[in-house]
Amino acid sequence: IISISGTPATGKTSATKMLKKMLKANLVSINVLVKNKKIKSHYEKRRNTRVVNEKDIKRAVKKLIRPDKINIVEGHAAHILKADKAFILRCSPPQLVKRMKRKGWPEKKIMENVEAEILDIITVEALETNKRRNVFEIDTSLRTPKQTAVLIVKILNNHRQQRKYSA
């Protein structure tokens, strides 16, 4: 199981679609599961966000893992899952602001996510769930989704790259 997580607009979905093809993997998207109501969620108006329960995420993802394939679990909450390799996509705050504005995110949500990025919240949570040697950070600020996917494959296959990108 490979998990791909990060704050919104770091390139998770785009890079993961390419990675899926490169690895001929089974892809499980947490956002798609929430959208298709395979994971229960409720809307929190005050924070302008969908809220899901960690146990519900784990339960839904577990049902879709294929033991005969490489499995990629992608989404903002993918880092809470135990994974063989966990990738946290990072982005510089100025670039993150640009990307989120381009996607039409409200200013308050942009600032909330930039703050989470600055504080390494997702990396810290990933390290709480997974062994340090299995958690990697990739800065996507200046990378295309294809470059990110290619780098993930290199990290998966090369111990030197694993040390270089270790969280």
Side-chain angles (χ1 to χ4, degrees):
I1 297 172
I2 300 167
S3 69
I4 312 276
S5 190
T7 55
T10 55
K12 297 176 301 296
T13 302
S14 300
T16 302
K17 286 178 182 175
M18 293 180 179
L19 185 63
K20 174 190 186 247
K21 290 177 186 172
M22 295 166 97
L23 298 176
K24 296 177 177 61
N26 175 45
L27 175 59
V28 178
S29 170
I30 293 173
N31 289 343
V32 170
L33 293 174
V34 171
K35 185 179 173 185
N36 293 337
K37 299 181 180 2
K38 303 287 184 195
I39 298 175
K40 288 185 275 181
S41 68
H42 68 277
Y43 185 74
E44 191 176 287
K45 192 173 183 176
R46 184 180 59 80
R47 287 185 52 231
N48 190 27
T49 193
R50 289 226 150 265
V51 178
V52 294
N53 180 293
E54 282 187 26
K55 288 180 183 176
D56 291 338
I57 293 170
K58 290 175 182 178
R59 200 174 303 123
V61 168
K62 188 176 181 180
K63 290 178 185 176
L64 297 171
I65 295 298
R66 295 198 32 204
D68 61 323
K69 292 194 87 158
I70 295 171
N71 293 275
I72 302 170
V73 181
E74 176 268 330
H76 175 60
H79 62 280
I80 65 165
L81 304 166
K82 277 233 184 278
D84 297 297
K85 302 291 182 201
F87 291 88
I88 311 304
L89 303 190
R90 306 293 306 268
C91 188
S92 71
Q95 183 67 25
L96 196 59
V97 169
K98 284 181 195 173
R99 290 179 183 183
M100 294 183 90
K101 281 185 176 179
R102 199 170 36 229
K103 291 182 173 198
W105 284 68
E107 195 66 31
K108 187 175 179 183
K109 287 303 291 181
I110 292 172
M111 289 304 109
E112 181 182 320
N113 284 292
V114 166
E115 184 178 292
E117 183 68 19
I118 290 168
L119 296 174
D120 295 338
I121 289 172
I122 293 177
T123 300
V124 169
E125 289 176 356
L127 289 167
E128 290 171 354
T129 306
N130 296 282
K131 294 177 183 171
R132 176 176 278 286
R133 70 176 187 270
N134 294 335
V135 179
F136 309 97
E137 291 182 302
I138 297 175
D139 182 353
T140 64
S141 302
L142 301 175
R143 285 190 171 88
T144 65
K146 184 175 183 178
Q147 289 170 328
T148 300
V150 167
L151 180 56
I152 289 171
V153 171
K154 284 181 183 175
I155 294 168
L156 288 169
N157 294 316
N158 185 306
H159 291 292
R160 187 173 298 144
Q161 293 293 318
Q162 289 176 13
R163 281 194 302 277
K164 181 178 177 180
Y165 290 94
S166 179

